[in-house]
Every structure is written in structure tokens, then in C-alpha cells.
Amino acid sequence: MTLHIRRWGTGDRVAVLVHGMLSSSECWWEVGPALAARGYRVVAVDLPGHGLSPAAPDAGLDGFVDSLLDAVPAAPALAVGHSMGAFVLATALDRLAPGRVVYVDTPFGPSRGGVDARSLTGVYTKAKAGRTLDALDRKETGWQQRDRAVEARAAEQFDVATTVGLFGSVAGRDFAPPTHVPSLMIRPEPSRFVTPDAVESLEARGIRVRSVDGAGHLTWYGRHAAFIRNFVWHSCFIQFKYANTYSRFALCMESKGNFYNRTFRKFCFQK
């Protein structure tokens, strides 16, 4: 299966972006260029049954993972996965081998067993039908107009049967994010998917967690600047952690300006 991909930038470092359910690669229309401006060559995929990629009702999780790995460069410097896309990314992590990974508002843990395909089809069909531009204009007033247009278009393109097949293939599976790759979870505050208990569990596993106040499940919509700051913070933190020198960390922070310097110093050395 050949997935549709979207690209930004020509940098030496590669960033792979994986959207969530009912969305598409177009959701990164602001994040992609922002990462490209920081030296990344950004590759965003449309997962099976999403965006401009073909429907694949029989793909299951293995098909999603294989098609992702076929579509993007191996060993990217950065991989980002949102919600359902983060499950696919986490499953692909050993073979993809990114330098670091960022998950966005992802409810890791046991998936529900005994998935009823007919019931799930009804739920997703209703969600697709309700995600119109008019509905999003009324509900998501904090988003930019382009955000709402992108998500309404993605809902029109969404193939229900493909996602029903995906969730049927993972029923009862316990998803736990790998810990051998430097990892960050970005969540909205509050989040119904990454609860305070989940934050505690993630941090106990060595996964850093950052929150964006007032954001929603698509955490970067309407909160782009705060969302991108967390990427910069994580990059500097990883340099410090693995170099184990304050000077490296301070140099990275200094290059980002005084705001970052104050913020990162307070978080890393006073928390």
C-alpha cells in the first residue's frame, strides 16, 4: 500500500509526523513549516483510510505499521505521533529507529477487548457525519479557520471501515510506550486521555511530560507557539541529559533566547 505524504523543508535532519484518527497529514500545516524553519526535512503521512491514502479495511495494525515504514525515511531525528497515530508509531519504533519521539495526548494502556465491529462502525460514522465545517465553526472557536477547514475536509476523506479494522486487530492489547528512545508526551491541560495518574505512570517510565494550558485533543490547534516551545525544550533537555554537561544545555538554551533560558532552568533544576 502506498501512502500519500506531505513534505516541508530540505534540512539534513528528518522529522516524521503521524496524525490521529479522523484527521490527515494536512493537520500539520503549521507545525510542519515551523519544524522546517528549525532545520528539519519534514515528512507527514496520511495513514490508511485517511486523507488521500487508500482505504484498507483488512490492514489491521500490522498493515498500518508496514505502510508507515515504507512511506518514510528510516532513522529520522524526530518522530511525532498524535493519539491513534502514536499507537502506530510506538509499534513501529524499533524498526523506524528515531533519535527521539514525541507523543501527543495519547492514552497508552490496555485497549478494550471484545470490540463489536457493528457498534464501532456506528460510532465512527456518527463522528464523521458530525465533523462538518459548520459544526467545527460552532464548537472550536479557539482554532484558526484553516484548522477547522482542514479537519472538516479530513472527516469527509475518512474511511470508517479501515479504522474499525485497525481497532479490531488490537482488541485487548496493552499498549505501553517504549522507553529506549528519548520520549516526550505533550498533553493539553486538562486532558481526558492523559490524566494525572497517567502522567505519573509515564514519568515513572522515564518519559517526560509537558502540558499546554487550555488546549484541546489536537493540542497544537490554537496553541501553536506553546506547542512548538515544547519541541525546543525537549531537544535542549535531551542534549543536556545525554551529554551530562550543564554547559551543553546552557548553550542550547542560550541559542533560543532568554525566555527559554529562564523556563528550562526553572523546570529542570527546580522541579
Side-chain angles (χ1 to χ4, degrees), residues 137-152:
D137 281 343
R138 291 191 301 271
K139 180 181 178 182
E140 302 295 353
T141 56
W143 292 4
Q144 297 183 67
Q145 181 59 37
R146 184 168 175 180
D147 300 334
R148 296 190 288 268
V150 163
E151 292 307 310

Side-chain angles (χ1 to χ4, degrees), residues 240 243-253 261 265 269:
F240 166 69
N244 198 28
T245 61
Y246 173 78
S247 59
R248 177 109 179 243
F249 182 67
L251 181 63
C252 180
M253 292 192 298
N261 201 344
R265 184 191 301 270
F269 296 105

Side-chain angles (χ1 to χ4, degrees):
M1 182 192 328
T2 301
L3 300 184
H4 176 260
I5 61 176
R6 202 175 299 267
R7 298 182 179 89
W8 296 273
T10 57
D12 295 331
R13 298 177 297 164
V14 173
V16 170
L17 309 182
V18 187
H19 65 81
M21 187 177 72
L22 266 169
S23 194
S24 75
S25 63
E26 197 178 0
C27 75
W28 306 111
W29 69 269
E30 198 168 17
V31 173
L35 292 176
R38 288 162 172 80
Y40 287 98
R41 176 164 57 93
V42 183
V43 179
V45 300
D46 285 338
L47 289 173
H50 293 76
L52 298 177
S53 288
D58 298 325
L61 180 61
D62 289 344
F64 270 65
V65 169
D66 288 344
S67 62
L68 171 65
L69 292 170
D70 287 344
V72 303
L78 170 67
V80 182
H82 173 241
S83 195
M84 182 194 79
F87 292 125
V88 177
L89 176 60
T91 305
L93 212 62
D94 284 343
R95 292 160 63 190
L96 183 62
R100 60 190 179 103
V101 61
V102 176
Y103 305 112
V104 185
D105 205 27
T106 305
F108 285 114
S111 60
R112 290 181 298 176
V115 172
D116 179 64
R118 183 175 180 180
S119 175
L120 212 54
T121 297
V123 170
Y124 293 160
T125 299
K126 183 177 180 180
K128 172 184 170 84
R131 208 165 174 81
T132 64
L133 184 56
D134 285 346
L136 291 172
D137 281 343
R138 291 191 301 271
K139 180 181 178 182
E140 302 295 353
T141 56
W143 292 4
Q144 297 183 67
Q145 181 59 37
R146 184 168 175 180
D147 300 334
R148 296 190 288 268
V150 163
E151 292 307 310
R153 184 160 45 248
E156 292 176 356
Q157 298 164 329
F158 175 64
D159 180 68
V160 170
T162 299
T163 298
V164 170
L166 170 65
F167 281 102
S169 74
V170 301
R173 178 169 177 168
D174 190 357
F175 283 94
T179 57
H180 61 282
V181 177
S183 303
L184 171 71
M185 173 73 76
I186 302 178
R187 62 187 286 276
E189 177 58 52
S191 169
R192 69 188 182 96
F193 294 111
V194 185
T195 64
D197 285 345
V199 170
E200 185 176 340
S201 176
L202 289 166
E203 290 184 333
R205 292 174 59 83
I207 296 173
R208 307 296 299 187
V209 180
R210 300 285 285 173
S211 300
V212 180
D213 290 340
H217 183 50
L218 286 146
T219 312
W220 56 97
Y221 281 171
R223 296 291 187 279
H224 173 73
F227 185 80
I228 290 296
R229 278 200 297 269
N230 284 295
F231 282 89
V232 178
W233 174 88
H234 193 232
S235 176
C236 292
F237 179 82
I238 294 303
Q239 287 186 40
F240 166 69
K241 179 178 179 181
Y242 288 92
N244 198 28
T245 61
Y246 173 78
S247 59
R248 177 109 179 243
F249 182 67
L251 181 63
C252 180
M253 292 192 298
E254 183 179 350
S255 71
K256 310 304 178 185
N258 290 333
F259 171 81
Y260 294 102
N261 201 344
R262 292 194 302 270
T263 302
F264 303 156
R265 184 191 301 270
K266 179 179 179 181
F267 183 83
C268 290
F269 296 105
Q270 295 181 15
K271 186 171 180 178

